[in-house]
Amino acid sequence: MRFSDLLTMSVNNLFRRKLRTFLTVLGVVIGTASIVVMVSIGIGLKEFTIKQYSSYGSLTAIQVYNYNNGNSSDKKNPEDSFMTDETMKTFEKIPHVTSAYPDLNLNVIMRQGAYEGNVQLHGIPLGAMKNIKLGEGSLPTTETKDMEMVVGNMVAQNFSNAKTGKGYWDTGEMPDIDFINKPMFTIFDTDAYYQSKGNSGGDDGSQKVAAPKKYMLKTAGMVAGGPDEWSDYSYGVYVDLDKLKTQLKQVFKKKPIPGQPTNKKGKPYNYFVYEEATVNVDDMDHVIEVQKAISNMGYEANSQMEWLEQSKQQSNMIQAALGGIGAVSLLVAAIGIANTMMMSIYERTKEIGVLKVLGCALGDIRTMFLMEAGFIGFMGGVLGLGLSYSVSAAINKFLGASLSGMTGGSGAISRIPLWLSGSAVVFAVLIGMLAGLFPALRAMKLSPLAAIRNE
């Protein structure tokens, strides 16, 4: 018997009992929609987690810390614990590492008008500044001789009125500071600044400490984001690393630079030591591997991927649980298909006997019933997929609004990718055929003579 004949007979047999076929297909529709929607929510939660962690920083970057600065007691030579420019070269030799750069940071005092604030100044290479998303201005370039700043969008919160002593955390109002159009007077030698304010000389013979020199710094760009939109760059001020080194050498000359270690004689080293560094990896899948290699070198390292992996494990558990709930509905639908096919066999026993007497192959009879079951699964899968998209749209519209702010305005907590759509239909067809397998085998085993005599 030709395949087209089997297909025609299968479709005609299904439409003999339209109501029963409709109810069976409806069960598959509900089952397919349930499992697709449940899995789509799990996918949406996983993508939301990745997007959320991405907003905190790059998923392929590793932050390296070395706050001991050679004070580790387990090493005879303190310099062995230093993190220097040579250490960056060692990091870059680790497999899958694309680049490594230090972060030379120190606290400075900045003033503009009546406002004064303690600011964390970060010296990083100009190439690393390309990762900073700007809301205003531009990034510093090598063509500029002066040291220019990229100011975080929340830096103004650190300023207060020098006369009243009140700032953002007291009044709730952002200080009126114009970073872009007005220069910032910066004091690098903070110790001398506070000593000059607290020591005015006196009868005890103490000499008044001279106020340190102020340096005028201009702002090249502002980090994107409002006053309450946090990112990795929100609270820092970033300048070119090489220019910062030159500036610090000019300011402190032979004196120890704050935050830099000194030798046993109290003299500074002739190179810079870093407490922080960033290591960039070529792919997210290699971040944990590189992070372990850096940790084995004695440095503290962490990354967004470390936390993301834990969150993804939780998301996978949630997705498996949701998928299991949907699978129960599809299992019930499969039982319905099996029941429908068994009833169809009982009703068509005589017809099956006639087919066997006429010489129809047993394989054709089995194929006919499997095609009927598969067609029920196919119709249910397609209609169920359409219902899934409708339910998914409703979930995103009414329940996703609460997440719209954290997901960059998308608010989509239910996502149905193309692979899930195709898999759902194929799975529904397979479930239908598996459910119809036992009835099909039963039809093959019917005795032709007994089937013909059946009323």
Side-chain angles (χ1 to χ4, degrees):
M1 187 176 294
R2 293 179 300 178
F3 178 81
S4 58
D5 295 333
L6 291 173
L7 181 61
T8 301
M9 291 181 62
S10 299
V11 174
N12 291 334
N13 289 331
L14 287 176
F15 284 97
R16 286 183 182 181
R17 299 288 187 268
K18 295 183 178 63
L19 180 60
R20 185 170 66 192
T21 301
F22 170 76
L23 293 176
T24 306
V25 170
L26 181 61
V28 180
V29 169
I30 296 174
T32 302
S34 298
I35 194 169
V36 171
V37 171
M38 292 297 183
V39 173
S40 73
I41 292 175
I43 294 173
L45 290 174
K46 184 180 295 186
E47 292 185 0
F48 164 72
T49 302
I50 294 175
K51 190 171 184 178
Q52 187 178 31
Y53 276 96
S54 297
S55 65
Y56 298 153
S58 173
L59 294 178
T60 57
I62 300 173
Q63 302 302 319
V64 185
Y65 304 97
N66 186 39
Y67 293 121
N68 286 329
N69 270 346
N71 295 324
S72 179
S73 59
D74 60 347
K75 293 188 177 182
K76 295 181 179 180
N77 187 2
E79 296 182 27
D80 293 340
S81 299
F82 287 168
M83 190 159 62
T84 64
D85 291 321
E86 292 299 321
T87 310
M88 301 302 113
K89 297 178 182 179
T90 303
F91 289 156
E92 291 178 345
K93 293 179 181 178
I94 299 175
H96 306 296
V97 172
T98 58
S99 64
Y101 62 87
D103 181 350
L104 178 60
N105 57 78
L106 72 156
N107 289 314
V108 298
I109 296 174
M110 291 188 175
R111 301 197 63 168
Q112 186 183 97
Y115 294 100
E116 177 180 301
N118 288 286
V119 175
Q120 186 82 4
L121 193 65
H122 297 264
I124 60 176
L126 289 177
M129 291 189 186
K130 296 179 180 179
N131 299 323
I132 303 177
K133 184 179 180 181
L134 297 182
E136 188 178 359
S138 60
L139 293 174
T141 63
T142 54
E143 299 176 357
T144 306
K145 294 182 179 180
D146 297 328
M147 187 168 64
E148 293 185 331
M149 305 183 296
V150 174
V151 182
N153 55 298
M154 293 184 177
V155 169
Q157 295 181 4
N158 296 329
F159 284 77
S160 60
N161 192 305
K163 297 180 180 178
T164 63
K166 294 184 178 181
Y168 171 79
W169 303 108
D170 302 300
T171 63
E173 297 180 359
M174 195 67 70
D176 186 18
I177 301 176
D178 188 353
F179 288 100
I180 292 292
N181 299 311
K182 295 182 180 180
M184 298 296 298
F185 291 94
T186 306
I187 301 171
F188 292 93
D189 195 345
T190 56
D191 291 339
Y193 174 75
Y194 289 119
Q195 289 174 8
S196 66
K197 292 184 65 176
N199 188 345
S200 58
D203 298 334
D204 58 355
S206 60
Q207 295 182 352
K208 182 179 179 180
V209 177
K213 184 179 178 180
K214 300 182 181 68
Y215 297 85
M216 190 172 64
L217 299 183
K218 295 181 179 180
T219 301
M222 294 289 298
V223 176
D228 297 323
E229 297 181 32
W230 183 87
S231 70
D232 276 354
Y233 304 100
S234 293
Y235 279 105
V237 174
Y238 299 87
V239 296
D240 178 32
L241 175 62
D242 293 332
K243 292 179 180 178
L244 178 59
K245 289 180 180 179
T246 303
Q247 183 74 42
L248 292 176
K249 290 178 181 179
Q250 292 176 354
V251 172
F252 293 95
K253 296 181 172 60
K254 295 183 179 181
K255 294 193 304 181
I257 299 173
Q260 291 293 305
T262 57
N263 58 25
K264 295 180 180 180
K265 296 181 180 180
K267 295 183 179 181
Y269 291 91
N270 58 359
Y271 52 83
F272 281 88
V273 177
Y274 309 107
E275 293 183 341
E276 300 179 18
T278 299
V279 176
N280 294 307
V281 184
D282 57 3
D283 191 86
M284 290 169 51
D285 296 333
H286 301 138
V287 170
I288 301 299
E289 174 188 345
V290 175
Q291 184 176 339
K292 290 181 179 179
I294 295 174
S295 298
N296 292 335
M297 295 170 64
Y299 300 104
E300 180 183 348
N302 61 50
S303 63
Q304 298 294 342
M305 278 300 301
E306 183 179 7
W307 306 107
L308 180 59
E309 286 295 325
Q310 298 179 9
S311 298
K312 286 173 68 175
Q313 290 179 2
Q314 296 177 356
S315 298
N316 289 335
M317 293 176 62
I318 294 174
Q319 186 172 350
L322 293 175
I325 295 173
V328 172
S329 301
L330 198 57
L331 177 62
V332 174
I335 296 174
I337 294 175
N339 179 65
T340 296
M341 300 310 299
M342 289 299 297
M343 293 297 297
S344 178
I345 290 173
Y346 287 133
E347 292 174 355
R348 295 155 55 191
T349 300
K350 190 171 184 177
E351 176 184 332
I352 294 172
V354 171
L355 289 174
K356 288 187 174 183
V357 169
L358 293 176
C360 182
L362 296 179
D364 291 339
I365 296 176
R366 178 192 60 201
T367 301
M368 181 176 63
F369 280 94
L370 288 178
M371 290 179 65
E372 291 181 26
F375 195 68
I376 291 176
F378 176 75
M379 289 191 296
V382 172
L383 296 176
L385 185 60
L387 179 61
S388 301
Y389 278 104
S390 300
V391 174
S392 178
I395 291 175
N396 291 332
K397 181 178 181 180
F398 296 106
L399 300 181
S402 60
L403 296 177
S404 60
M406 292 180 285
T407 56
S410 64
I413 60 175
S414 174
R415 299 179 183 270
I416 306 177
L418 291 177
W419 66 264
L420 179 59
S421 302
S423 299
V425 176
V426 173
F427 189 61
V429 173
L430 291 177
I431 289 294
M433 295 181 70
L434 288 174
L437 182 60
F438 177 74
L441 294 176
R442 183 177 178 85
M444 290 175 59
K445 295 178 180 180
L446 287 176
S447 170
L449 296 178
I452 292 175
R453 288 196 298 266
N454 184 68
E455 295 296 335

